[in-house]
Structures are given as structure tokens and as C-alpha cells.
């Protein structure tokens, strides 16, 4: 019998676990094209995102309605608060499609974690966040090499001016590790960890609510109201986290690109 604290699966309480993020295959099990529930969640989010922006573009008017205005607000938010704020007007316009795609994809994938029937963030497995982080990695390397050349980019990144030369023996390896591993790794791990923890907390609240209302002894049932209230609060909080994580990922992507574009000192 599975136990967790003083509650048991035999009593109707089955706590969430990391297995929630590795659901069994729905189609094509055992093949390279295996489709599990988390892939279905990602597909639903991607299709919904394409439909929303397709409809907004198809029905675009000079004086936008609420739907069009909402869609335009998201794009304008990325343009003003991320792209132009970090990269300036010219470079911001150049990298706006990439930053908008990253922001909206992560936002859509994050929101699936609080949508009934889906209840699992598409970014709660490392594949999608890692792919986006690698896109950022390739872009800031390409931007830096194009601007300064490979030698100039590595020199300005690994050997910043104003540092005593013996310090470079320690600083250069650390900076290279940052360029190759720390930046893409931190983007990936931050996003995955937040989505995993959010899912587990939400699942725990609502599973506990069901347990207290349905399976617990009579004197424990009022506790279900507390866990239900906690679940509602955490759902609202996860909506905020979904937006913040998309914003932070896109913001750091713009910041890394800007660092690569900076003039050599």
C-alpha cells in the first residue's frame, strides 16, 4: 500500500509524483514517433495559438475589436517591453519574430497546466524548453560572430577589459562555460522546474480536496474547504507564473543577444 504521511492510497489518497510527467503512450508506443499525453497537450496548445492569431489576422480591422486588440497587445508587449527595451529599435525589429514566437509558445504551453482536461503544462518536460533554449544559444552565438567575427566575439566575451591578466586564467573558462552551458541550461531548468512544482502543488491541493470530501472521516471533511480554497488560489497564482516565465525566458533571450552584439571595448 502506497503511503504518504498519515494518508494512504487505500483510503483514497494518491499523491502526485514525477510519474505524472511521463504518461503512457497514446499512439505509436515503442516507436520514435510515440505520442503521449504531454505531446497531445503541446499539439492542442500549438493549434490553438495558430487559430487565434490566424483569426486575428484574417479579421483585422483599422479599429480593432476586443479580440484583435488583445492579440495585438501581446505582440506590442513583446515589442516594447522586451525587444526594443533591450535591443533598441533596429535590432528589436530584427529579432522581434523570434522573441514573439518564444514568448507566445511558452505562454501557451504553460497555460495548459491550468486548463481543465489538459492539466499538464507542455513545458513541464525538458524537451520543449531545451529546444527553445538551444534556439537562443545558436542565435546569440550567430549574432556575436556576425558582428565581431569568431575571434573578436570570443575575445570580448572571455577576456573582458580592465581585468588583471592572471585573473583571466580563472575567468576565461568560467565565461566559456557560461556561453556554452550556463545560459541555455539556466533558461531550460528555470522553466521546467517552475512548471513541475506548480503542477505538483495544484494536483496535491485538488487530490487532497477530493480525499477530504469523499474518503476522509466526518470530522476531517471540513478541511476539504481549505484545500479547495488553496487550489483556487494556486490556480490563479499559476496563471501569473505562466506569464512571468514566458516573459523572463524571452527577456533573457533578448539580453543574451544584446550582450553578443555589444561593441568590443
Amino acid at each position: 500500500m502506497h503511503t504518504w504521511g498519515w494518508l494512504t492510497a487505500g483510503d483514497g489518497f494518491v499523491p502526485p509524483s514525477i510519474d505524472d510527467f511521463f504518461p503512457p503512450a497514446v499512439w505509436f508506443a515503442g516507436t520514435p514517433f510515440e505520442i503521449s499525453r504531454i505531446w497531445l497537450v503541446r499539439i492542442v496548445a500549438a493549434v490553438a495559438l495558430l487559430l487565434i492569431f490566424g483569426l486575428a489576422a484574417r479579421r483585422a480591422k483599422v479599429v480593432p475589436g476586443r479580440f484583435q486588440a488583445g492579440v495585438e497587445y501581446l505582440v506590442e508587449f513583446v515589442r516594447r517591453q522586451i525587444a526594443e527595451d533591450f535591443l533598441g529599435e533596429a535590432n528589436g525589429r530584427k529579432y522581434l519574430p523570434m522573441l514573439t514566437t518564444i514568448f507566445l509558445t511558452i505562454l501557451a504551453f504553460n497555460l495548459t497546466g491550468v486548463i481543465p482536461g489538459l492539466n499538464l503544462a507542455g513545458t513541464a518536460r525538458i524537451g520543449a524548453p531545451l529546444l527553445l533554449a538551444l534556439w537562443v544559444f545558436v542565435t546569440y552565438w550567430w549574432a556575436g560572430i556576425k558582428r565581431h567575427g569568431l575571434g573578436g566575439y570570443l575575445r570580448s566575451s572571455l577576456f573582458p577589459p580592465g581585468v588583471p591578466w592572471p585573473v583571466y586564467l580563472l575567468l576565461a573558462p568560467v565565461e566559456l562555460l557560461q556561453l556554452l552551458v550556463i545560459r541555455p541550461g539556466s533558461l531550460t531548468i528555470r522553466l521546467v522546474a517552475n512548471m513541475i512544482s506548480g503542477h505538483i502543488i495544484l494536483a496535491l491541493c485538488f487530490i487532497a480536496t477530493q480525499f477530504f470530501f469523499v474518503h476522509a472521516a466526518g470530522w476531517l471533511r471540513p478541511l476539504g474547504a481549505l484545500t479547495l480554497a488553496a487550489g483556487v488560489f494556486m490556480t490563479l497564482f499559476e496563471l501569473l507564473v505562466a506569464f512571468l516565465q514566458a516573459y523572463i525566458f524571452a527577456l533573457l533571450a533578448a539580453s543574451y543577444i544584446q550582450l553578443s552584439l555589444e561593441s568590443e571595448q
Side-chain angles (χ1 to χ4, degrees):
M1 181 180 297
H2 183 81
T3 61
W4 196 54
W6 51 273
L7 302 174
T8 67
D11 293 328
F13 187 90
V14 181
S17 72
I18 201 68
D19 292 337
D20 294 352
F21 306 99
F22 299 91
V26 178
W27 296 312
F28 313 121
T31 72
F33 306 101
E34 179 175 298
I35 300 295
S36 65
R37 178 167 164 253
I38 197 164
W39 270 106
L40 292 177
V41 166
R42 290 169 177 168
I43 291 170
V44 169
V47 170
L49 195 59
L50 291 172
L51 285 175
I52 289 171
F53 277 82
L55 288 173
R58 186 175 181 180
R59 300 178 180 179
K61 299 178 181 178
V62 176
V63 179
R66 292 182 180 178
F67 176 71
Q68 181 184 337
V71 172
E72 290 180 354
Y73 172 79
L74 290 174
V75 177
E76 282 295 301
F77 175 82
V78 177
R79 183 176 71 84
R80 294 180 180 274
Q81 302 300 322
I82 300 176
E84 292 184 356
D85 197 29
F86 275 84
L87 297 169
E89 187 174 348
N91 286 322
R93 189 183 307 112
K94 179 179 179 180
Y95 292 100
L96 179 60
M98 171 193 175
L99 296 173
T100 303
T101 301
I102 287 174
F103 175 80
L104 293 174
T105 299
I106 294 175
L107 180 61
F109 282 17
N110 287 352
L111 288 175
T112 59
V114 295
I115 295 177
L118 298 178
N119 300 114
L120 186 63
T123 47
R125 285 265 294 272
I126 200 168
L130 179 59
L131 183 62
L132 293 171
L134 289 176
W135 186 13
V136 175
F137 168 81
V138 170
T139 301
Y140 71 71
W141 270 82
W142 175 83
I145 293 172
K146 185 177 180 182
R147 173 67 62 90
H148 308 298
L150 178 59
Y153 175 57
L154 290 176
R155 184 170 59 253
S156 62
S157 298
L158 304 185
F159 304 99
V163 177
W165 70 264
V167 178
Y168 287 133
L169 297 175
L170 295 175
L171 184 61
V174 172
E175 290 296 327
L176 182 60
L177 186 66
Q178 178 172 247
L179 289 174
L180 293 173
V181 178
I182 294 175
R183 287 180 181 176
S186 63
L187 285 174
T188 304
I189 294 171
R190 180 187 298 105
L191 178 55
V192 173
N194 275 278
M195 292 303 104
I196 289 176
S197 60
H199 171 86
I200 290 176
I201 293 172
L202 280 177
L204 183 60
C205 288
F206 290 116
I207 291 171
T209 298
Q210 182 186 29
F211 170 81
F212 285 125
F213 282 151
V214 178
H215 299 283
W219 65 275
L220 286 173
R221 289 184 179 178
L223 293 177
L226 295 178
T227 56
L228 178 60
V232 172
F233 172 80
M234 287 306 304
T235 298
L236 297 176
F237 182 71
E238 277 300 296
L239 290 173
L240 176 62
V241 170
F243 178 85
L244 285 178
Q245 288 303 311
Y247 171 69
I248 291 170
F249 198 109
L251 182 146
L252 288 175
S255 176
Y256 295 156
I257 293 170
Q258 174 57 23
L259 288 173
S260 294
L261 292 172
E262 284 182 345
S263 300
E264 297 180 73
Q265 303 295 320

